[in-house]
Amino acid sequence: MKDKILEKFKTSLNGLSSQEASARLEKYGPNELKEEKKKHPIVLFLLQFADVLILLLIVAAIAAYFVGDVIDTCVILIVVILNAVIGFIQEYRAEKAMEKLKSLVSTEAVVKRNGEVVKVAGNELTIGDIVLLEEGDKVPADLILIETNELRIDESSLTGESRPVTKSGEYDGSESLNLTDKKVEKQLASHIAYMDSAVVGGNAIGVVFAIGMDTSIGKIAEMIQGEEKETPLQAKVGKLGKTLAIIAIIVCAFVFAVELLKNIPIVETFMTAVSLAVAAVPEGLPAVLTLTLALGMQQMAKSNAVVRRLLAVETLGSCTIICTDKTGTLTENKMTVREEELFNNEKSYLICGLCTNTTIKDGKIIGDPTDGAIMKYGEDNNFIKSELEKEYPRIKELPLDSVRKRMTTIHSLPTSVNENSIVLTKGAPELVLDLCKYIDKDGNIEILDNETKENIIKNISKMTNSALRVLGLAYKNFNYDDDKNSSEIESELIFTGLVGMMDPPREEAKIAVKDCMDAGIQVKMITGDHQETAAAIAREIGILTDGRVINGEELDDLSEEEYLKAADDIQVYARVYPEQKMRIVETLQNKGNIVSMTGDGVNDAPALKKASIGVAMGSGTDVAKESADMVIQDDNFVTIVKAIREGRKIYDNIKRFVKFQVSTNIGAILTILGASFASLPIPFNPVQLLWINIIMDGPPAQTLGMEGEEKDIMDRKPETGDILNKRVITKIIVAGAVMAIGTLGLFAYNLNIGATESKAMTVAFTLFVVYQLFNAYNAKSNSDKRSTYLYIAIAISFVLQLLVIYVPYLQMIFRTSAIGLIDWVLIFLVACTILISDRIMNRLIPAD
């Protein structure tokens, strides 16, 4: 078969000649990951202004400048620039993921050229090169192996498989060598070493069959390049901005036309129309969005969730499905003995403590996770390895390998014992059982009869079916000398028991999964581990209930239509590769879901980028972190649920701000339109309209973004609709109408009783401001947290309004007059109608 591979890639065991290598390098190009052409940073920055809401704000800033409101102009422009800078940073950082991926490519490779072993630069590797791999090397390209010696490769960052994989260069050649076929590549996976995987044991010789963008990691690089996705919040805010823009343009044009027909001076008419435009545009929205999201980021950081993309904070609160990895996220990421069947406890603990090459350093287990689990099990039962080694010094080791599937150590015994040593063996349970002639039942050594053996085999099956990794334990006292071979050493052993291990689920993750279910969020497990292991953990943790478990191969066999139908029922995905993770995320999104995807490896990067919100693990690769929107520092699923809670609070606060601001916009528009239709003077002058706008965007509005979480925040389904649904729009229109009717009614009343137009306008103007303060109170959350900031903001705004009315200098600017006690009584009585109408509407159209 080796010859077949060498022939296919037109090479030999002596490697390529220098001339042939140069020719192929010219033909196939360098072994590098290529980046798509990026937009120039200046172009990228300018594109941040190509948004309807941002353009509308710029127009509003210009309009405010023309009516003499320089402060409002500056505030709007600061918000617009801040928004552009944040957007630019978020898009610019997308290039960092690619930079991290490029850094993974090995800088050097050991190859055979012209029959000699030489080192070449990693980017000079080409198809057909003969590469030599040693322990500690990073695989420099995709290789098909032709010779191996106990080769073990860590592919965890690429496949999600938590344990090193044993590779072989020996196979029968029955498989096709068409490695461009994904199914063929999967069949040959045990004979392939992938770029960026790490050699943790043994050595090998391989032939390069793919370089650069054609490698497994190159395909990942291709997938993570592209435009940043638009978050649901961006889409909703964009839609809202367009709607308000159209309304503002229509109303301003209408008011301008009506005022002209009334022979009002064109300059004043223009100023009124422009002021109304400024009042109708929600220029405070980006500022409140930034503030609310930034506060959310700060809060999440305290809970070990570091947000890398501002708008992602809200997205997590809206997500309907969480696709989560298993190892370390739902589980503790440490193998633990969970079940045992021991016939002699002491001898079993002795084997667990001594027949291992793991050590403990600074409280952490160094070495193979399985060995670490049984060593810890022995130590938990007071069989401490460091102490045992003094009493039973090791003489020899027969190491574990893929053929033997067991490990044996020989230790000295005290001289008072007849035999000079003890043999300790652990390994594949059926194999160890076959090596045993006896069984130790609490010190009584008996012949291992067929009935006992069958019962043990049944227990092995039972433990294996529970997705436990099972080891058989055996020993014997022995007179050892250097002439003894392995068959003599490992014969007629005494069986002592079985231990079953698993990476156990986190207890708190079970509660967190239930919280998600109660909140209407589906949790799906996506893992590179075995199907049985994944199913067992998913069932125990509450993810797998009445749904399906599917592996990567079965997923490949489903057509798009079949998968679209089945996607809702599948709760666990096992043995999946990068393209499949992308397919899973895309299909779930095509069904209208907002999908959160967690991951830690290079293989997770494309799906992390594609998901509505990508969540990387703090212990994960740099590539995963750079591709993600959020990083969970403690790798804990519970932290994701805390972030969801914070995300929902943020979305609620954004909604309450939008509801408050739009109801003010509608109120102002209806008031001015009502005055035009009723042939009344406009109750607000342009400067007063701008002041209303400042109050509307000022302290009360800003503090609505700091409200506490609603009491039912995790007892309701995710909100995936528009920011303003039919219920909220109805309440906004009613609130706007109440404000317009009340303002025009009191304005007309004052004119009818002979008040000056200045006083009537001051009363109407003040009433409208008080309406906003009461309306802000209507918008506060139903939370256990007191709305202290909101109350302070309302008080500050009210004091500012008093200054505008009673300070002579400000009276000149705003054209206001001092008003009496009776006026204040009427203002507060009429303003209370907004509180009453809100309570009535809550009863008539309660929340879903």
Side-chain angles (χ1 to χ4, degrees), residues 655-656 658-660 662-663 719 722-735 841 845:
K655 281 199 307 178
R656 71 179 88 257
V658 171
K659 176 190 166 189
F660 165 71
V662 174
S663 62
E719 294 190 44
D722 292 332
I723 292 179
L724 303 180
N725 56 32
K726 289 181 181 178
R727 174 180 179 271
V728 175
I729 290 171
T730 304
K731 290 185 71 176
I732 284 171
I733 292 170
V734 169
M841 292 304 295
I845 47 171

Side-chain angles (χ1 to χ4, degrees), residues 55 143 194 200 230 338 391 400 428 669 738:
L55 292 173
L143 314 176
Y194 294 102
V200 295
E230 184 180 55
R338 303 195 74 199
E391 189 176 352
L400 169 75
I669 289 168
V738 167

Side-chain angles (χ1 to χ4, degrees), residues 393-420:
R394 183 182 292 190
I395 303 169
K396 185 180 176 65
E397 174 188 338
L398 303 178
L400 169 75
D401 62 42
S402 57
V403 178
R404 286 169 37 78
K405 296 184 179 177
R406 64 186 180 275
M407 175 183 178
T408 295
T409 55
I410 306 166
H411 302 261
S412 296
L413 282 174
T415 53
S416 58
V417 181
N418 292 332
E419 290 84 2
N420 67 8

Side-chain angles (χ1 to χ4, degrees), residues 7 94 122 258 279 298 476 500 503 555 574 636 681 692 740 756 776:
E7 183 184 342
V258 169
Q298 192 178 32
K476 73 174 180 181
D503 179 10
L555 182 59
N636 197 334
I692 290 168
T756 63

Side-chain angles (χ1 to χ4, degrees), residues 796-818:
I796 290 170
S797 299
F798 184 69
V799 170
L800 290 173
Q801 182 64 20
L802 290 177
L803 295 176
V804 165
I805 296 170
Y806 294 109
V807 174
Y809 177 73
L810 294 177
Q811 284 178 338
M812 289 172 57
I813 294 172
F814 288 91
R815 285 183 277 167
T816 55
S817 304

